[in-house]
Amino acid sequence: ICRMTIRTRLTLSLALLGIVIMLVAGAGLYGLNAAAEQTRSIVIERVTPLRSLKMVADAYAIKVVNTINKVAAGTLSWQFGQSNMMSAKAVITRQWQTYLALPKSGEEQDLANTASAAMDKAAPALDKVKEIMTSGDNAAMTAFADKELYPAIDPISTAISSLIDLEVKAAQAQYETAESNRMLLLMIMGGVGLGALLILGFAFTIVIRGVSL
C-alpha cells in the first residue's frame, strides 16, 4: 500500500466505501421488502380472517339472538324480526365462506370444522324460527327463545370465540417474529455502518500518510 500513488489509494478507498454503501442500501432494501411482506402476511392471514369471524359472531349474537329475544318479548315486530333474520343469514353465509376460503393451520382447520358442524346442527332450529315468525305464533316464539335458542347458538359462539382467540395469538406471534427480524436487521445495518466508518478512517489514514511522505 505504501508504494501506491495517492490516486490509487483514493480510488481503492472510494471503491471499498462504495461497496459498503451498496451493502447498507441492500440491507435497507431487504428490510423494507421483508417488513412489507410480513405486514401483508399479517393482514391476509390474520386481520382478514378476524374481520370475517367478528362479522359472523356479531350476526349470531346481535342479529339472531337479540332479534329472537326481542320478538318473543314483543319489543320488535314480526316484520322487522324476519328482516333481521334474513340479513343475518346473508352475512353469516357470505363471511363464513370468505373465511373458509383462506389458508389455515391444522388447529385452525379443526376449529373451523367444529364451527361448521355447530352451524349445520343449528340450521333446523333457525328454519323453525323462520316458520314461527311467518305464522306469528307468540307462544311458540317464547318457548323457542326460552328452551331452544341458546342450545343451538352457544356451540357456534364458543367455536367462533376459539377461532378468534387463535387468530389473535397467531397475529401476536407473527408480530413478535417481525419485531425480532427488525432488530436483527438493525444490528446488521449497524455493523455495516461501522464497517463504512472504518473504511473511511482507513482511507483518510493512507491518504494522509501518502501526502506526508
Side-chain angles (χ1 to χ4, degrees), residues 90-170:
V91 170
I92 290 167
T93 299
R94 180 173 65 255
Q95 293 301 326
W96 187 243
Q97 290 304 315
T98 297
Y99 171 76
L100 291 179
L102 296 170
K104 299 173 184 61
S105 65
E107 182 181 3
E108 188 179 0
Q109 186 61 59
D110 290 340
L111 288 173
N113 292 339
T114 299
S116 291
M119 292 177 187
D120 291 341
K121 187 175 181 180
L126 297 181
D127 289 338
K128 181 178 179 180
V129 169
K130 182 179 178 181
E131 294 175 359
I132 294 173
M133 287 189 178
T134 300
S135 65
D137 189 334
N138 286 311
M141 179 57 76
T142 300
F144 182 90
D146 290 342
K147 299 179 181 179
E148 300 180 56
L149 175 58
Y150 292 102
I153 301 301
D154 282 351
I156 301 174
S157 299
T158 299
I160 297 296
S161 295
S162 297
L163 280 169
I164 290 175
D165 289 342
L166 180 63
E167 293 291 348
V168 171
K169 290 178 181 177

Side-chain angles (χ1 to χ4, degrees), residues 59-60 62-89 124-145 149 153:
Y60 276 111
I62 298 174
K63 287 286 187 179
V64 174
V65 173
N66 283 1
T67 293
I68 291 173
N69 283 327
K70 287 181 179 180
V71 171
T75 58
L76 188 68
S77 69
W78 297 103
Q79 181 180 2
F80 278 111
Q82 289 176 304
S83 177
N84 284 352
M85 294 298 290
M86 290 176 61
S87 174
K89 183 177 181 180
L126 297 181
D127 289 338
K128 181 178 179 180
V129 169
K130 182 179 178 181
E131 294 175 359
I132 294 173
M133 287 189 178
T134 300
S135 65
D137 189 334
N138 286 311
M141 179 57 76
T142 300
F144 182 90
L149 175 58
I153 301 301

